């Protein structure tokens, strides 16, 4: 007897052997059959989906769950449009902060203000507290003099704005979050994912200086799972700065490793260790993505996280230690560093099944596409970056480079696996809104960026299902509604392939199922 049969729906299976179905059978959390194979079988529960469209659960291959949860509970200076408004919001947060404490704020973004604030301006409303405002990109922060005084005098900063490693130094001044605080934040973010139809995700970097929250952060995810706060599948990328030299057997050829040799693949179908996360540059919002040519109207080209040789050595060492690699590279100069190192690593020890990934691939030159393809590297992009920030990104790249931003068609035509993701909370996490952008390439303002990079609805949906599963080594259990795979699926109020493209992002997420069970989260 089936545990459940879902009926009266249009199942878009993403499986070419059976692309559309009307019935789906579930037994012990897995799909056991489609259509005639299950229609006449008895079931404990028959769920009439009343003509809805059903897809495999969306896979968001690059998220920050803990950061998302914490940001939701942190006072924000957004959407302040003037320096005065920001300072007023800071003053309000300071008033609620104990004397000598830290006033934390989120939502800082200099672009809407026309310039960065200064530490001196924050001092005027800081009342002796330590003020820390996280930049929306995650690649910088704005602090006052009370924080700067605790840091080495030689640490680079722009009148209180700390980028990349300097930001990491400021974050290191704080005590780590407790595992319970982390578990609560993770659970809050996970529920938001489910409400948007996301049934699995990859957490993009735990335990590191830039985005980590605790040296025992992995344990917080275990705690969240034990407490029932992790209602979807999560794969954890480990920050490469957690690697340390090891004296393993010479035959292993492992120069650096995580403790006990832990690497990609450890865990189970609900919580596992994924790729090793390696940062090569910063972000476009903070103007720290590393480019080969200057930002339009500026006299600099961003920055690498370290010298190219050191970054390359980390990439090679991670490959030799058996990791799948997720290399953060937003600018084209950073992508050169990543591709050079990945090519060197594969030459030293060929691992054709490693499925290394470049995270973001934000600005990729035409000549770099062939290198992606030759190395078998997946491009894990964030379409909603351009949907919401595209006007700014196009302006700072200029007319020639703007069409290279967050490509779609260029990757697919070269046979490169194109993977969709959100980088939440940096951008909106909705896969459907991202799918809409991938097809029409239109920002919220209406500006179309690189229309030749637009792809079809089916190709965009594949980026959030089949390709996401491939990027996370989940293809045997997720990504399509195929018998034998997990019964993770999303029920939609309309068919993304049938509605006008401009309406795809507004399609209602009616229900989300994980392991064949409908979750409690409803679409907002």
């Amino acid at each position: 007897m089936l545990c459940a049969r879902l009926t009266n729906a249009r199942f878009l299976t993403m499986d070419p052997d059976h692309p559309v179905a009307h019935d789906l059978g579930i037994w012990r959390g897995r799909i056991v059959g489609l259509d005639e194979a299950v229609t006449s079988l008895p079931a404990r529960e028959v769920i009439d989906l009343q003509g809805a469209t059903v897809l495999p659960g969306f896979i968001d291959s690059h998220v920050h769950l803990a950061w998302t949860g914490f940001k939701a509970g942190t006072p924000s200076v957004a959407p302040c449009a003037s320096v005065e408004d920001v300072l007023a919001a800071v003053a309000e947060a300071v008033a609620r902060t104990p004397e000598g404490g830290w006033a934390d704020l989120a939502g800082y973004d200099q672009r809407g203000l026309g310039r960065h604030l200064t530490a001196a301006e924050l001092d005027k409303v800081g009342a002796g507290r330590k003020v820390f405002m996280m930049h929306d990109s995650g690649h910088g922060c704005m602090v006052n003099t009370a924080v700067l005084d605790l840091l080495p005098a030689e640490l680079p900063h722009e009148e209180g704005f700390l980028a990349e490693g300097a930001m990491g130094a400021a974050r290191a001044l704080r005590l780590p979050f407790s595992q319970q605080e982390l578990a609560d934040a993770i659970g809050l973010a996970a529920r938001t994912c489910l409400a948007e139809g996301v049934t699995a995700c990859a957490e993009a970097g735990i335990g590191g200086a830039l985005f980590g929250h605790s040296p025992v952060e992995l344990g917080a995810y275990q705690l969240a799972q034990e407490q029932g706060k992790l209602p979807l599948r999560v794969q954890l990328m480990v920050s490469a700065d957690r690697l340390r030299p090891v004296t393993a057997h010479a035959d292993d050829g492992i120069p650096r490793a995580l403790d006990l040799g832990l690497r990609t693949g450890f865990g189970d179908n609900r919580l596992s260790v994924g790729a090793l996360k390696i940062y090569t540059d910063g972000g476009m919002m903070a103007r720290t993505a590393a480019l080969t040519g200057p930002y339009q109207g500026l006299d600099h080209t961003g920055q690498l996280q370290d010298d190219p040789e050191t970054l390359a050595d980390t990439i090679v060492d991670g490959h030799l230690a058996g990791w799948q690699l997720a290399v953060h590279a937003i600018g084209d100069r950073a992508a050169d560093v990543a591709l050079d190192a990945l090519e060197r690593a594969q030459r030293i020890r060929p691992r054709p099944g490693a499925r290394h990934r470049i995270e973001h691939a934000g600005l990729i030159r035409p000549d770099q596409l062939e290198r992606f393809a030759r190395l078998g590297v997946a491009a894990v992009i964030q379409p909603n970056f351009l949907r919401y920030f595209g006007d700014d990104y196009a302006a700072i790249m200029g007319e020639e480079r703007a069409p290279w931003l967050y490509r779609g068609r260029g990757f697919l035509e070269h046979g490169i696996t194109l993977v969709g993701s959100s980088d939440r909370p940096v951008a909106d996490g909705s896969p459907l809104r991202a799918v809409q952008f991938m097809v029409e390439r239109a920002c919220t303002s209406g500006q179309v960026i690189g229309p030749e990079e637009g792809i079809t609805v089916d190709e965009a949906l594949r980026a959030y299902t089949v390709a996401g599963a491939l990027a996370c080594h989940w293809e045997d259990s997720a990504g399509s509604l195929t018998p034998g795979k997990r019964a993770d699926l999303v029920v939609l109020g309309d068919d993304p392939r049938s509605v006008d493209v401009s309406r795809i992002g507004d399609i209602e997420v009616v229900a989300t199922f994980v392991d064949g069970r409908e979750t409690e989260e409803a679409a907002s």
Side-chain angles (χ1 to χ4, degrees):
M1 176 180 288
L2 299 174
C3 295
R5 185 173 73 250
L6 309 186
T7 188
N8 189 18
R10 177 180 296 179
F11 293 91
L12 307 182
T13 68
M14 307 305 292
D15 182 345
D17 293 334
H18 197 146
V20 180
H22 53 77
D23 277 19
L24 180 146
I26 298 170
W27 186 69
R28 292 189 176 180
R30 291 188 179 268
I31 299 167
V32 294
L34 301 167
D35 293 342
E36 288 72 21
V38 296
T39 300
S40 60
L41 295 179
R44 292 177 192 151
E45 183 179 19
V46 176
I47 302 174
D48 185 344
L49 294 176
Q50 301 179 353
T53 296
V54 182
L55 281 159
F58 295 127
I59 297 171
D60 191 336
S61 299
H62 185 117
V63 303
H64 299 279
L65 292 180
W67 180 16
T68 298
F70 285 131
K71 185 176 180 180
T74 301
S76 178
V77 298
C80 296
S82 71
V83 170
E84 292 72 24
D85 289 343
V86 172
L87 293 176
V90 173
E92 186 176 336
V94 163
R96 297 194 298 268
T97 303
E99 186 174 347
W102 288 76
D104 287 303
L105 296 103
Y108 177 66
D109 188 343
Q110 84 287 355
R111 296 174 302 170
L113 306 176
R115 67 171 177 86
H116 278 300
L117 271 70
T118 67
E121 287 172 321
L122 291 178
D123 292 343
K124 293 177 181 178
V125 296
R129 276 68 167 177
K130 293 175 277 291
V131 178
F132 183 102
M133 287 195 297
M134 190 71 170
H135 194 274
D136 261 347
S137 68
H139 287 271
C141 63
M142 190 73 222
V143 301
N144 65 349
T145 302
V147 176
L148 293 176
D149 287 344
L150 300 175
L151 295 168
E154 66 274 12
L155 200 71
H157 69 89
E158 185 181 333
E159 296 186 333
F161 181 70
L162 303 168
E164 308 304 339
M167 176 199 70
R171 294 187 77 224
L173 295 171
R174 315 288 300 279
L175 290 172
F177 289 95
S178 72
Q179 287 195 342
Q180 188 61 62
E181 289 173 312
L182 281 162
D184 292 341
I186 291 162
L188 177 62
R191 293 193 295 274
T192 302
C193 290
L194 285 176
E196 294 173 340
V198 174
T199 58
C201 64
E203 167 65 46
I206 62 169
L210 281 181
F211 289 93
H213 297 88
S214 166
V216 291
E217 196 163 0
L218 191 152
Y221 282 84
Q222 290 181 288
L223 180 62
Q225 184 179 35
E226 292 163 0
Q227 295 179 341
K229 295 176 179 177
L230 202 63
L232 74 169
R233 304 186 200 288
V234 177
Q235 192 176 84
L236 303 173
M237 300 184 204
V238 177
S239 291
D241 52 5
R242 303 300 300 177
L243 296 182
R244 61 186 183 87
V246 294
T247 53
H249 194 284
D251 290 350
D252 294 336
I254 299 175
R256 280 188 283 174
L258 208 63
D259 286 345
L260 300 178
L262 190 71
R263 60 176 173 82
T264 303
F266 185 82
D268 57 27
N269 72 87
R270 292 300 290 259
L271 180 63
S272 61
V273 174
L276 184 71
K277 179 73 177 293
I278 302 171
Y279 295 91
T280 63
D281 69 346
M284 286 186 187
M285 293 169 64
R287 311 310 195 227
T288 54
L291 312 178
T292 52
Y295 286 88
Q296 192 80 6
L298 301 176
D299 61 357
H300 69 86
T301 58
Q303 66 186 77
L304 295 172
Q305 294 284 355
D306 211 324
D307 66 81
E309 293 77 16
T310 299
L311 294 172
D313 286 346
T314 300
I315 290 171
V316 171
D317 286 355
H319 174 89
L320 295 177
W323 288 89
Q324 177 191 24
L325 304 179
V327 186
H328 168 116
I330 292 184
D332 60 329
R333 179 160 56 108
D336 280 335
V337 171
L339 293 168
D340 288 346
L342 290 170
E343 186 170 22
R344 175 181 148 202
Q346 291 285 17
R347 189 167 56 247
I348 295 171
R349 182 179 296 170
R351 288 177 54 212
R355 296 190 200 170
H356 296 323
R357 314 157 34 144
I358 288 187
E359 308 298 301
H360 307 296
L363 185 76
I364 300 300
R365 302 187 310 270
D367 64 283
Q368 293 174 316
L369 293 171
E370 178 56 38
R371 296 194 69 196
F372 267 79
R374 188 171 68 252
L375 290 167
V377 175
V380 183
I381 65 167
Q382 296 75 41
N384 278 336
F385 277 17
L386 285 194
R387 178 177 171 86
Y388 294 99
F389 316 138
D391 293 334
D392 174 64
Y393 284 18
I396 60 174
M397 289 302 107
E399 185 176 351
E400 179 185 4
R401 294 181 295 183
W404 306 344
L405 288 164
Y406 296 92
R407 291 174 176 271
R409 178 59 55 202
F411 286 127
L412 292 180
E413 286 186 347
H414 284 77
I416 298 161
T417 300
L418 177 66
V419 184
S421 68
S422 69
D423 202 16
R424 71 172 78 226
V426 178
D428 184 339
S430 166
L432 287 171
R433 284 190 277 275
V435 165
Q436 178 178 324
F437 175 83
M438 295 173 84
V439 178
E440 63 182 6
R441 300 283 298 185
C443 309
T444 53
S445 68
Q447 178 181 185
V448 176
I449 299 175
E452 65 276 10
E453 289 293 331
I455 61 178
T456 68
V457 174
D458 279 334
E459 289 168 333
L461 290 173
R462 182 181 175 85
Y464 278 90
T465 53
V466 176
L470 281 168
C472 296
H473 290 268
W474 281 331
E475 70 275 12
D476 291 338
S477 62
S480 66
L481 302 181
T482 301
K485 293 190 177 184
R486 301 281 175 186
D488 296 352
L489 46 90
V490 56
V491 182
L492 302 178
D494 218 329
D495 185 344
R497 305 179 309 170
S498 301
V499 303
D500 186 90
V501 173
S502 64
R503 290 185 50 222
I504 292 175
D506 295 323
I507 292 175
E508 179 187 5
V509 175
V510 177
T512 305
F513 287 72
V514 176
D515 282 335
R517 296 185 180 88
E518 184 174 357
T519 63
E520 296 179 357
E521 284 66 30
S524 57

